[in-house]
Amino acid sequence: MAFKSLRVLHVETGRHLYGGAYQVLLLLRGLASLGVENILCAPPESAIARAAGPYATVVPLKITGELDPRLPWILWTAMDRWRPHLVHAHSRRGADWWAGLVAWRRRIPSVVTRRVDNPENAALARLKYGFFGRIIAISEAIARILRAQRVRAEKIRIVKSCIEPERFGNPYPREKVLRDFGLSQNSTLIGTVAQLIARKGHARLIDVAPDVTGRYPAAHFCFFGQGPLMKALRRRVQFRKVFEHVHFLGFREDMDRIFPCLDLLVHPATMEGLGVCLLEAAAAGVPIVAGRAGGIPEIVHHGINGLLIDPANERELLSAILRMLQSPEEARRMGTAGRHLVEAKFSLQAMVQGNVAVYREILEAS
């Protein structure tokens, strides 16, 4: 089938335009440039539904959550209306189950992208992924987890997430960022860009903050993101008496302009499928300290563009942060190396062509 006549129905239930949802938007744009007709099923109030208009026909998923029992009927109706040649599920927690099952029932080839590295019930995983012709893992680490759960290895393909390095070429003036954050002009900005959930490691970072700020009083920890642990983390900051050095800055849609102003990105996550924030930091030339977990080592090469640590070991975390602050020349060298790494291995073209190759394979097989 010529790609200019291909119609793909995508399912993405993310509400905010970061992480997986942003990768879906980039894929839609890339596919549209090849002549693919994209149909996007997404919540009408979501950021991707608003942004995808130039690249896809948006079908509103009027659901209260990813487990809404109306979801299968909405997907059935959308497939009946648009008659896609292929269904691509991008989300989990209901969307992947129902998209695969409904497509299977309608005898439409389907593919699912797996973006997280937390294990699922092995029996249920094999059942769920059995409905799909192919499973796209965004990292080698996720592919290993799928194989360990005895998901059929011949179905698994690896297509890594991508980044647009040019997005980070127009940063805010550093003085403006420091002023907006209420910080002095000699401040050192240590950023963490992640949901405020346990596996991202904010608590451990707060616990080492007193030792860092004791040696480097100009150091400030900037937490970008939101999540259910906000109140607990604020209490921890108060308990550690670092409230003047830890700042909760919420979700920002202008991180591409803020990233180049950071001196260091710290991401002590214990689980991570790949880590788009790490790609963004590297593209912005920011050195990284990150947990040796999931797909993170596929982005952060120890001693090259950052430092890898045991995310559960606070001593290693503290030592890595101090090394970066003590050796600014080494940190700058790592930042430059990160930019080159992203440009070479995580391009938009590679991500789009990787998905296209899976589409061709599954369509030919069907």
Side-chain angles (χ1 to χ4, degrees):
M1 177 181 294
F3 261 63
K4 64 182 180 181
S5 62
L6 180 67
R7 184 181 305 115
V8 180
L9 187 144
H10 303 264
V11 184
E12 170 56 58
T13 56
R15 306 279 170 166
H16 302 290
L17 200 54
Y18 59 77
Y22 182 68
Q23 293 296 309
V24 175
L25 181 65
L26 294 180
L27 177 60
L28 294 175
R29 191 178 78 190
L31 292 174
S33 71
L34 298 175
V36 174
E37 181 183 356
N38 294 304
I39 312 299
L40 173 65
C41 295
E45 72 282 5
S46 64
I48 191 171
R50 296 192 298 270
Y55 319 115
T57 299
V58 179
V59 176
L61 281 179
K62 296 181 179 179
I63 54 176
T64 57
E66 293 172 326
L67 299 178
D68 192 312
R70 294 173 295 179
L71 180 56
W73 173 247
I74 296 173
L75 293 177
W76 181 281
T77 303
M79 292 180 204
D80 187 60
R81 163 69 177 83
W82 294 100
R83 304 285 172 149
H85 303 106
L86 180 72
V87 171
H88 190 160
H90 299 275
S91 299
R92 297 182 67 222
R93 295 183 58 204
D96 52 357
W97 271 101
W98 289 117
L101 177 58
V102 173
W104 177 76
R105 286 286 295 161
R106 296 194 64 91
R107 299 184 179 180
I108 301 171
S110 63
V111 60
V112 60
T113 295
R114 169 79 180 261
R115 301 186 185 278
V116 295
D117 65 339
N118 49 302
E120 301 176 90
N121 177 281
L124 291 178
R126 291 194 295 275
L127 175 61
K128 175 176 70 175
Y129 293 122
F131 295 121
F132 293 97
R134 294 292 183 274
I135 305 109
I136 296 175
I138 66 166
S139 69
E140 298 280 355
I142 292 175
R144 286 196 297 271
I145 289 173
L146 289 169
R147 288 192 289 268
Q149 294 175 320
R150 292 189 294 165
V151 173
R152 290 171 56 188
E154 66 271 20
K155 283 189 172 187
I156 302 169
R157 301 292 181 270
I158 298 171
V159 180
K160 295 186 178 182
S161 297
C162 71
I163 199 69
E164 299 172 288
E166 62 273 13
R167 284 178 49 222
F168 302 89
N170 184 33
Y172 290 129
R174 183 179 170 88
E175 307 78 44
K176 166 185 163 52
V177 170
L178 292 170
R179 187 172 60 251
D180 290 350
F181 294 170
L183 303 177
S184 63
Q185 292 299 308
N186 69 335
S187 297
T188 299
L189 299 183
I190 302 172
T192 298
V193 184
Q195 286 181 284
L196 303 181
I197 54 179
R199 66 175 180 266
K200 301 298 183 180
H202 296 85
R204 288 182 295 281
L205 195 50
I206 292 169
D207 289 345
V208 304
D211 288 321
V212 174
T213 58
R215 302 186 197 192
Y216 293 91
H220 289 267
F221 294 86
C222 301
F223 291 171
F224 299 95
Q226 53 196 18
L229 291 186
M230 172 72 79
K231 291 182 179 179
L233 292 173
R234 286 188 181 277
R235 288 194 298 269
R236 202 178 195 102
V237 166
Q238 292 290 334
F239 177 74
R240 294 294 183 185
K241 299 180 180 178
V242 287
F243 49 87
E244 293 182 353
H245 292 272
V246 178
H247 312 278
F248 294 87
L249 300 170
F251 173 74
R252 299 284 299 241
E253 294 186 346
D254 56 351
M255 283 306 301
D256 54 337
R257 305 194 68 183
I258 294 174
F259 255 119
C261 300
L262 300 179
D263 296 289
L264 177 65
L265 182 87
V266 182
H267 192 69
T270 56
M271 302 177 72
E272 192 66 79
L274 188 62
V276 171
C277 72
L278 302 173
L279 292 176
E280 292 176 331
V286 180
I288 301 167
V289 170
R292 193 181 292 104
I296 291 175
E298 297 173 42
I299 298 175
V300 182
H301 297 183
H302 185 72
I304 304 299
N305 66 315
L307 299 175
L308 290 171
I309 52 99
D310 176 353
N313 189 321
E314 290 183 8
R315 187 172 299 175
E316 280 192 31
L317 176 60
L318 173 62
S319 177
I321 295 172
L322 293 178
R323 174 178 164 181
M324 289 294 200
L325 298 182
Q326 290 163 356
S327 308
E329 283 299 323
E330 181 184 28
R332 277 191 288 271
R333 175 183 62 77
M334 289 184 181
T336 300
R339 189 182 299 116
H340 295 327
L341 175 69
V342 164
E343 291 171 353
K345 295 190 175 182
F346 296 92
S347 70
L348 173 61
Q349 181 180 9
M351 186 272 282
V352 174
Q353 290 300 325
N355 278 274
V356 165
V358 175
Y359 290 178
R360 290 188 187 280
E361 186 181 349
I362 192 173
L363 288 169
E364 289 172 1
S366 65

